[in-house]
Amino acid sequence: MSTLAHTMMTAARPADSGLAGPGELDRYSYAEASGHDRGAPPAWDGEAELSRAGRRAAGSRGRGLHGQLVQQLGQMIVSGDLGADRPLVPEEIGQRFEVSRTVVRESLRVLEAKGLVSARPNVGTRVRPVSDWNLLDPDIIEWRAFGPQREDQRRELCELRWTIEPLAARLAAGHGREDVQQRLADMAEIMGHALAQGDSLTFTRADAEFHSLLLQVAGNRMLEHLAGIVSSALHVSGAPSGGCDRPTEAGVGHHLRIVDAVGAGDGSGAEAAMRQLLIAHPDVERVVPAPREH
């Protein structure tokens, strides 16, 4: 195993916590949230529920007040508990969530940048319709994936990946960079070791790094911009990139074939191997039929 692969494997398994320790994997925000149940977004059920949600947010300091408030309000909007055109009164939010006016103001600015709310003079801040949301924002992807729209979100992410990732694999193969091939090989190696040890968290992180790397080195700035979206898709899909309930040897094998094709400069082979990997996902199968045997 290479030095990088060994570092990532050991960093991903600190004692007791199950989260990434110091090392290469620290940059993944997924680890910050893996210790709590993200499958149950808070409900907005009248004033009493707002008060309870506010106390929960104010009582948990792990994300910081600003991040907690963005998370709470974002989940409520995306889940439909705060419907379109619902007014959001900053003073009421501050009181109920027990946060300062500055925290409320900055949180609403973040939500406005995501297209979830709009603030206008003489109108105030209101929830915007779904058509205005930035659906490629990683936070919105996560909130949708763990809310009532989870099935639509999974399907749409799979369709998007089917469209962009085979092309990215083809383009990456045309660059012939040894450092890229080595990093891809490291990620596939980590996945193989994680599979053998039953370490699904490390498997998922290496998987996300593998797919993001292909998009980053495709030589297309627009594809590179989508790397974070693919990473979010892998983290919220509930399964590795192959769509299995758990990591499998077949999934690792598909990744290794992509590595070999990229290293050989075989764009067509890299594209075909990526399609073979993605076609295993049940959501993709409903959209794109599996290739026929000849």
Side-chain angles (χ1 to χ4, degrees), residues 53-277:
R55 286 195 294 272
R56 283 199 304 271
S60 173
R61 301 290 191 240
R63 286 177 168 268
L65 291 177
H66 170 265
Q68 292 165 31
L69 187 56
V70 169
Q71 183 84 356
Q72 291 276 0
L73 293 177
Q75 286 180 321
M76 291 174 183
I77 293 171
V78 170
S79 69
D81 291 319
L82 287 175
D85 209 37
R86 170 71 179 263
L88 299 178
V89 182
E91 292 77 11
E92 177 186 338
I93 294 173
Q95 180 181 5
R96 298 294 186 178
F97 286 81
E98 300 177 6
V99 294
S100 70
R101 299 169 70 179
T102 299
V103 170
V104 174
R105 183 171 59 251
E106 292 304 317
S107 298
L108 291 177
R109 284 179 180 174
V110 171
L111 295 175
E112 185 173 18
K114 296 176 184 296
L116 295 179
V117 304
S118 62
R120 292 182 294 173
N122 302 322
V123 175
T125 301
R126 292 182 176 271
V127 176
R128 299 171 69 175
V130 177
S131 58
D132 291 341
W133 298 355
N134 178 8
L135 296 179
L136 298 182
D137 181 278
D139 283 337
I140 295 181
I141 289 175
E142 177 182 325
W143 297 333
R144 291 186 73 207
F146 291 97
Q149 303 171 25
R150 60 177 64 88
E151 293 304 318
D152 286 340
Q153 180 68 96
R154 286 170 61 96
R155 174 183 55 79
E156 291 167 4
L157 286 171
C158 286
E159 292 170 356
L160 179 63
R161 293 186 62 200
W162 176 262
T163 302
I164 65 175
E165 288 199 74
L167 173 61
R170 171 186 283 273
L171 295 176
H175 288 284
R177 290 173 48 184
E178 293 184 4
D179 60 327
V180 171
Q181 184 188 9
Q182 183 58 57
R183 287 186 63 191
L184 290 172
D186 283 340
M187 296 307 110
E189 186 177 7
I190 291 168
M191 292 168 67
H193 282 276
L195 172 64
Q197 297 180 15
D199 187 351
S200 60
L201 179 60
T202 298
F203 188 101
T204 299
R205 288 173 170 170
D207 193 14
E209 174 77 4
F210 184 100
H211 290 265
S212 294
L213 180 61
L214 281 175
L215 289 166
Q216 292 166 19
V217 301
N220 184 305
R221 292 293 179 85
M222 297 187 73
L223 284 177
E224 181 180 350
H225 186 71
L226 297 176
I229 297 167
V230 170
S231 180
S232 296
L234 288 168
H235 286 320
V236 304
S237 66
S241 60
C244 305
D245 291 334
R246 56 186 181 275
T248 64
E249 292 184 5
V252 175
H254 286 311
H255 286 83
L256 289 172
R257 282 188 282 277
I258 295 172
V259 172
D260 291 340
V262 170
D266 180 5
S268 296
E271 179 178 359
M274 179 62 78
R275 291 195 185 279
Q276 286 294 324
L277 174 62

Side-chain angles (χ1 to χ4, degrees), residues 29-73:
S29 58
Y30 176 81
E32 298 174 3
S34 61
H36 64 86
D37 180 9
R38 298 189 303 179
W44 187 294
D45 186 17
E47 295 300 320
E49 182 59 29
L50 175 56
S51 297
R52 289 195 294 272
R55 286 195 294 272
R56 283 199 304 271
S60 173
R61 301 290 191 240
R63 286 177 168 268
L65 291 177
H66 170 265
Q68 292 165 31
L69 187 56
V70 169
Q71 183 84 356
Q72 291 276 0
L73 293 177

Side-chain angles (χ1 to χ4, degrees), residues 3-14 17 19-29 31-32 183 187 190 202 205 209:
T3 301
L4 173 60
H6 181 269
T7 299
M8 291 184 70
M9 286 289 290
T10 55
R13 295 191 306 278
S17 70
L19 301 179
E24 185 71 14
L25 293 180
D26 282 355
R27 66 179 180 274
Y28 293 103
S29 58
E32 298 174 3
R183 287 186 63 191
M187 296 307 110
I190 291 168
T202 298
R205 288 173 170 170
E209 174 77 4

